[in-house]
Amino acid sequence: MDRNFEKMASIDAQLRLLAPRKVSEDDKLVEYDALLLDRFLDILQDLHGEDIRETVQECYELSAEYEGKRDTRKLEELGKVLTSLDPGDSIVLTKSFSNMLNLANLAEEVQIAYRRRIKLKKGDLADESSATTESDIEETIKRLVVDLKKSPEEVFDALKNQTVDLVLTAHPTQSVRRSLLQKHARIRDCLTQLYAKDITRDDKQELDEALQREIQACFRTDEIRRTPPTPQDEMRAGMSYFHETIWKGVPKFLRRVDTALKNVGINERIPYNAPLIQFSSWMGGDRDGNPRVTPEVTRDVCLLARMMAANLYFSQIEDLMFELSMWRCNEELHARADELHRSSKRYAKHFIEFWKQVPPSEPYRVVLGDVRDKLYNTRERSRQLLSNGISDIPEDATFADIEQFLEPLELCYRSLCACGDRPIADGSLLDFLRQVFTFGLSLVRLDIRQESDRHTDVIDAITKHLGIGSYREWSEEQRQEWLLGELRGKRPLFGQDLLKTEEIADVLDTFHVISEHPADSFGAYIISMATAPSDVLAVELLQRECHVKQPLRVVPLFEKLADLDAAPAAVARLFSIDWYRNRINGKQEVMIGYSDSGKDAGRLSAA
């Protein structure tokens, strides 16, 4: 107890000393660093005794002295301290320095955020070398208008018609566990709030206690994964960023864009159906050289993403219901609410009793109540399919596609605007609509990646099955001619009697998974080690043969030097094919380089 009071007095003294003088950015970093280090050393002493604390401090000071003066004697002293430790203390010391390094990084992150806030308050522009942040949006738009002589209307039209697709990849070498990432986020929050200007003494004490808890929880958490993460684990880890940051960050970012446009004379918001940002993922879809990514994994990841998306929407829809308590609405919404209210069967057994009693005089709540019910069913059906492979919730009780989900939300938006309540429509409902257009029902679109040779193996098995020879031995012209002939026709190429190796079955089963899931679950089909037009046409044919109703866009990835050199000719040949040109409708995505180009051509040539 006494120690806690001493700590709070120390914090108070620091803040009082800082108040009358100008605080530099470096001062702030020192304060953040010192506070976190002090709290960690206290925890270390409580857990492992004063001797280990003094050893850690001694090693820390010797390291700092050596770094500052390059005095080899300090390095020798440090070596003697380390070699004198028993194995148990060595482990504690190693873990201590690992945690201290993490805390130093967190202090720097909070300092960077502090620096950005100060610059934004002053109106200073970020210098050219700084990373662009949301606070630079308005300045960027002003530069387009002033320096590049673009009209505000031109900028607005350009923004409406562009999309940045951010793709999340995953690596089993990701070192920081999700449990620690979440604790680090809470430490950042505590540290930021501790230095807020309007904080009270009680707030400080409670925040300092919370900070100590989180630091101790980090120290007590194993930093090392004891089992290799599965692709599903990678997906869950990636999705945690959506839950903690991206989900609420997207509508906030789009509002910042609206504000920036308003400040250059555009009094119109970015339409909710023109998302500036979308998200894709390779987690559970990138099977190139990874035997752990199987068709079953891809299926699980699709269901997991759908379940997570429905859960995020579900957690927000009730807040929206409370907010939209208005009674005035247009005829269209009134008719829908009246129909739903009279059809008690529309309400699921899990629906909250209070909302069963919502009268037609609160029509928005009635319509959104039905949305909430279907979101619950969508989440639970995905959860059951993921756990058991079957579900007792019928598909027609869920949202099967994004249009079904959007329709009642757009109805509410139109009604509010028609009744003179546009400011209300442009509140939480607009944010919700923007989230739906950005994230869809699957949160991220899963990209599938497979090597071109694997597709060649499948087509070769098919041509042998048909008794027309070995596709692998054909020339590129022969391959293209046969593939196009089949693409223009309708005959099925194989049935259950096709002889399949394990690898061939894996490729075909992946296409069947694509065909069985909603189209909005997937993004692109990427062909790594692509070399020729036939690689693209082969994937198109396999999609058709496996009954993919809305075929994925096919993206050739040219990697090796010879393939990169030949890529322009290969793509030009694709564009010369009438069938393919009609298929892509004027849009083609191509990937170049990636990792293998550096191995093959060297880093300079690859770049």
Side-chain angles (χ1 to χ4, degrees), residues 354-458:
F354 172 76
W355 291 113
K356 287 185 181 180
Q357 310 303 320
V358 174
S361 59
E362 295 182 332
Y364 295 98
R365 289 181 169 180
V366 174
V367 172
L368 292 176
D370 188 56
V371 173
R372 180 189 186 278
D373 201 21
K374 286 184 176 175
L375 282 171
Y376 178 90
N377 288 337
T378 302
R379 181 187 69 184
E380 290 306 296
R381 178 177 168 82
S382 296
R383 184 185 62 78
Q384 290 174 8
L385 289 171
L386 187 62
S387 302
N388 310 316
I390 58 172
S391 172
D392 59 4
I393 298 174
E395 191 172 1
D396 60 6
T398 70
F399 287 121
D401 58 59
I402 194 68
E403 286 75 22
Q404 289 180 330
F405 188 14
L406 285 167
E407 191 273 335
L409 301 173
E410 291 176 318
L411 173 58
C412 291
Y413 190 87
R414 287 196 305 273
S415 177
L416 287 167
C417 292
C419 295
D421 290 327
R422 181 66 179 262
I424 298 173
D426 284 341
S428 297
L429 179 57
L430 176 62
D431 288 343
F432 198 89
L433 278 163
R434 283 173 162 174
Q435 286 172 317
V436 173
F437 268 97
T438 300
F439 301 110
L441 281 167
S442 57
L443 207 58
V444 293
R445 291 177 178 268
L446 183 65
D447 287 348
I448 305 295
R449 187 165 80 116
Q450 182 59 278
E451 190 174 355
S452 59
D453 270 353
R454 297 290 295 276
H455 307 129
T456 300
D457 290 341
V458 177

Side-chain angles (χ1 to χ4, degrees), residues 40 92 425 602:
F40 174 74
V92 173

Side-chain angles (χ1 to χ4, degrees), residues 222-239:
D222 194 349
E223 294 181 76
I224 300 170
R225 297 179 189 274
R226 299 299 172 180
T227 57
T230 66
Q232 292 94 323
D233 291 333
E234 293 171 1
M235 180 65 171
R236 289 186 181 91
M239 293 303 98

